[in-house]
């Protein structure tokens, strides 16, 4: 244990560290390009199709519930009209969704 300071100077940059930094920089650039959102006609068409499917599903459910409630209200068959028309609405919604998704793109 000596009180003398060490005589070693600062260590220079290692070539391996430099090459590692370059590779990391190249990987980060490629990752940024890969993760960059692609806004184009293809993306817009997918959003439109998703919104249409969602509206068909919600519309079928809401329409079935409303018609079932009307039948129950005027015919006094509570809750059977509501349940039957709810299932009919779900069936119609699924049929429409299948029909939409089976269309060929233009």
């Amino acid at each position: 244990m000596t009180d003398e300071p060490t005589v070693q100077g600062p260590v220079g940059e290692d070539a391996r560290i430099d090459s590692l930094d370059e590779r990391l920089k190249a990987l980060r650039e490629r990752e940024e390009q890969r993760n960059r959102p692609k806004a184009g006609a293809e993306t817009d068409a997918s959003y439109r199709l998703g919104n249409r499917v969602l509206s068909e599903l919600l519309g079928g459910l809401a329409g079935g519930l409303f018609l079932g409630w009307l039948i129950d209200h005027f015919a006094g068959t509570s809750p059977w009209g509501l349940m039957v028309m709810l299932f009919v609405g779900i069936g119609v919604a699924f049929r429409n969704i299948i029909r939409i998704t089976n269309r060929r793109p233009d």
Side-chain angles (χ1 to χ4, degrees):
M1 309 275 170
T2 63
D3 292 332
E4 296 178 20
T6 59
V7 287
Q8 293 180 348
V11 177
E13 288 289 322
D14 191 5
R16 293 180 297 174
I17 293 176
D18 290 337
S19 70
L20 180 63
D21 285 339
E22 290 172 9
R23 287 189 300 174
L24 283 174
K25 184 178 178 183
L27 282 173
R28 283 188 187 120
E29 289 173 1
R30 277 192 284 174
E31 189 69 18
E32 284 178 14
Q33 288 177 355
R34 191 176 69 104
N35 289 334
R36 190 171 297 147
K38 296 176 178 93
E42 205 173 276
T43 306
D44 291 340
S46 297
Y47 282 126
R48 282 194 306 263
L49 181 63
N51 285 334
R52 184 156 180 217
V53 166
L54 180 65
S55 67
E56 289 286 345
L57 184 61
L58 293 177
L61 288 171
L65 283 173
F66 179 70
L67 290 176
W69 177 80
L70 278 178
I71 290 171
D72 281 343
H73 182 72
F74 289 114
T77 59
S78 184
W80 296 108
L82 181 72
M83 290 189 331
V84 168
M85 291 307 291
L86 175 66
F87 288 119
V88 169
I90 290 171
V92 168
F94 285 163
R95 181 188 61 107
N96 287 343
I97 290 169
I98 291 169
R99 203 174 68 198
I100 288 169
T101 56
N102 283 339
R103 286 188 187 155
R104 293 182 183 259
D106 295 332

